[in-house]
Amino acid sequence: MKIGKREFDFSRIYVMGIMNVTDDSFYPPSRVKIDNVERKSLEMINEGVDIIDIGAESTRPGSDPIDPAEEIRRIDLAVRSIRNVSDIPISIDTYRSQTAIAGLRAGADMINDVSGLEFDPEMSHVCTDFDVPIVLMHIKGTPKNMQTDPYYEDVLKEVYEELQKKVEKAIKNGVKASKIILDPGIGFGKRLEDNLKIIAHLDKFQSLGKPILIGISRKSMISKIMPMDINDRLEPTIALNTIAAMKGAKIIRVHDVFSNVKAMRMVDAIMGV
């Protein structure tokens, strides 16, 4: 898969670094002011990041949407700032087609849609028009209400089938099959037991035939297993990412680039034996 100017063959684990140009993302150190985007992007690049994922609206549980015009403004400025210093692949974390268009026009290379094409029906056409990859994520509900008593009879079966439907819908709307990445949506309308089951059996999603992205970094599920402050969740994050990678995840989305890059190189070494 080509993302921007770079080829991703998924023979190793790729690291996607989180950059939030917001004031309210759940992990404060991930919040970056526009004036600091260039510096932060260079820091991530030096640490070995493969893709930078820019978000301008928090999708943490209970979050409210921001004004779409403000999201577009932040995304445009952030992408242009990174493009001033690097051709690193840039992903736009948004479910709005107009924001995606603004980011792609500014120089971004792919879309990360937490709704998996559900919130804005025009998003698939954006992918087709710009011929860019898209991450289709599973979510139950919306960021505002997704953690209000989510329930599954069989989480693996239900998430698998929903992702399968998203792939079929995307292709029907013109998205190339070779441009689709899937994300089971850890923490997006899931209970702790659901998240653990998805990670433990992530290999089952490989039969969908698409690269799997996983986003576990510093999420609250960690403190439900062992109570701890968000600032203390790095080691558990690396442990979960290691398990996910060995179960088939090809992209891990993280706040802490360097630590996870080092861990994933060890996973690559073991998986390559």
Side-chain angles (χ1 to χ4, degrees), residues 152-221:
Y152 299 85
E153 290 287 343
D154 184 335
V155 68
L156 294 176
K157 180 175 183 289
E158 291 172 52
V159 172
Y160 184 102
E161 290 177 350
E162 283 297 317
L163 288 175
Q164 191 171 41
K165 289 177 184 176
K166 289 179 186 297
V167 171
E168 292 169 355
K169 177 180 178 180
I171 293 173
K172 182 179 179 181
N173 289 338
V175 178
K176 292 179 182 176
S178 60
K179 298 283 187 180
I180 297 172
I181 298 167
L182 298 177
D183 179 351
I186 298 298
F188 282 79
K190 314 287 192 306
R191 301 163 297 182
L192 173 61
E193 58 263 40
D194 300 323
N195 292 321
L196 293 175
K197 188 168 286 188
I198 288 170
I199 295 167
H201 300 281
L202 195 64
D203 53 317
K204 295 184 181 299
F205 293 91
Q206 292 188 67
S207 61
L208 288 166
K210 307 299 176 193
I212 302 297
L213 180 151
I214 201 83
I216 306 171
S217 187
R218 294 183 180 268
K219 288 187 174 178
S220 61
M221 65 167 285

Side-chain angles (χ1 to χ4, degrees), residues 41-202:
S41 65
L42 289 173
E43 177 184 305
M44 286 184 170
I45 291 165
N46 288 335
E47 291 176 340
V49 79
D50 296 298
I51 306 167
I52 295 177
D53 191 45
I54 304 175
E57 174 183 286
S58 176
T59 51
R60 73 189 191 285
S63 60
D64 291 309
I66 67 168
D67 177 66
E70 177 60 15
E71 184 189 32
I72 289 172
R73 185 190 72 84
R74 294 176 185 178
I75 289 293
D76 179 78
L77 289 172
V79 173
R80 292 182 189 281
S81 293
I82 295 175
R83 282 290 168 260
N84 285 337
V85 295
S86 177
D87 66 354
I88 190 78
I90 298 173
S91 168
I92 302 303
D93 182 3
T94 186
Y95 54 81
R96 295 188 181 94
S97 60
Q98 291 303 309
T99 302
I101 289 171
L104 294 169
R105 285 178 174 168
D109 307 294
M110 66 181 286
I111 300 165
N112 183 9
D113 182 356
V114 298
S115 82
L117 301 179
E118 293 300 317
F119 296 171
D120 187 337
E122 294 301 313
M123 187 67 90
S124 58
H125 301 304
V126 175
C127 296
T128 303
D129 292 345
F130 285 85
D131 193 27
V132 294
I134 183 167
V135 179
L136 302 179
M137 195 191 80
H138 176 275
I139 184 174
K140 184 185 279 272
T142 68
K144 182 69 175 177
N145 63 24
M146 63 189 180
Q147 289 307 112
T148 305
D149 298 322
Y151 178 77
Y152 299 85
E153 290 287 343
D154 184 335
V155 68
L156 294 176
K157 180 175 183 289
E158 291 172 52
V159 172
Y160 184 102
E161 290 177 350
E162 283 297 317
L163 288 175
Q164 191 171 41
K165 289 177 184 176
K166 289 179 186 297
V167 171
E168 292 169 355
K169 177 180 178 180
I171 293 173
K172 182 179 179 181
N173 289 338
V175 178
K176 292 179 182 176
S178 60
K179 298 283 187 180
I180 297 172
I181 298 167
L182 298 177
D183 179 351
I186 298 298
F188 282 79
K190 314 287 192 306
R191 301 163 297 182
L192 173 61
E193 58 263 40
D194 300 323
N195 292 321
L196 293 175
K197 188 168 286 188
I198 288 170
I199 295 167
H201 300 281
L202 195 64

Side-chain angles (χ1 to χ4, degrees), residues 6 8 12-19 39-54 82 86-91 251-262 265:
R6 307 188 187 189
F8 288 66
R12 66 175 178 87
I13 313 303
Y14 292 95
V15 175
M16 173 183 276
I18 300 167
M19 183 182 291
R39 178 194 61 77
K40 182 62 177 177
S41 65
L42 289 173
E43 177 184 305
M44 286 184 170
I45 291 165
N46 288 335
E47 291 176 340
V49 79
D50 296 298
I51 306 167
I52 295 177
D53 191 45
I54 304 175
I82 295 175
S86 177
D87 66 354
I88 190 78
I90 298 173
S91 168
I251 303 173
I252 59 164
R253 183 176 180 273
V254 302
H255 297 95
D256 310 277
V257 171
F258 193 39
S259 298
N260 281 280
V261 164
K262 289 185 286 185
R265 294 298 76 83

